[in-house]
Amino acid sequence: MFATVLQYLGTYAAVFASGGALCAAAELLIVRTKLTPARILVIFLIAGIILEAVGVYDYIYKVCQAGVAVPIVGFGASLAKGAIDSARSVGFVGAFAGGLIRTAYGVGIAIVMSYIVTLVFNPRSK
């Protein structure tokens, strides 16, 4: 039992540290450069795509888990993984649809949940 608790704590520490490191890197880019948040978002998205395409993302995911999967890096890796898998099974055309097919569920849930939040709370523009 105690070993299981330590294992969970180690997992949570790795997730917290890796997610925090990604956020700290983004914050440093915002503070130290003239990059806009949108450009930084694209940099992290493309980093996830490159990590998946090179085959390194799975090894990073085994260590960092949700710390690297939840941020935009994980979304980029999912897009790339879907495109690669569909291209292998369907062919060249599958590369265009695969990323969208793989990420459609998460995007759909995000849209529905954001709509529910706007119904529950009263959003106002500034």
Side-chain angles (χ1 to χ4, degrees), residues 5-24:
V5 171
L6 286 178
Q7 183 180 7
Y8 281 129
L9 288 176
T11 301
Y12 291 144
V15 168
F16 181 78
S18 59
L22 282 173
C23 292

Side-chain angles (χ1 to χ4, degrees), residues 107-123:
V107 172
I109 291 295
I111 291 170
V112 169
M113 292 308 294
S114 63
Y115 179 70
I116 291 172
V117 167
T118 60
L119 292 176
V120 172
F121 298 100
N122 188 13

Side-chain angles (χ1 to χ4, degrees), residues 18 24 36 49 60 76 89 92 97 109 112-113:
S18 59
T36 63
I49 292 170
I60 296 171
S89 64
F92 181 72
I109 291 295
V112 169
M113 292 308 294

Side-chain angles (χ1 to χ4, degrees), residues 51-111:
L51 289 173
E52 181 64 42
V54 174
V56 178
Y57 182 79
D58 288 334
Y59 298 111
I60 296 171
Y61 177 76
K62 286 180 184 176
V63 175
C64 301
Q65 296 179 7
V68 76
V70 173
I72 195 71
V73 175
F75 184 72
S78 291
L79 284 171
K81 188 172 186 89
I84 292 168
D85 291 345
S86 290
R88 286 184 180 150
S89 64
V90 178
F92 181 72
V93 177
F96 296 105
L100 298 175
I101 292 169
R102 185 170 175 92
T103 59
Y105 182 75
V107 172
I109 291 295
I111 291 170

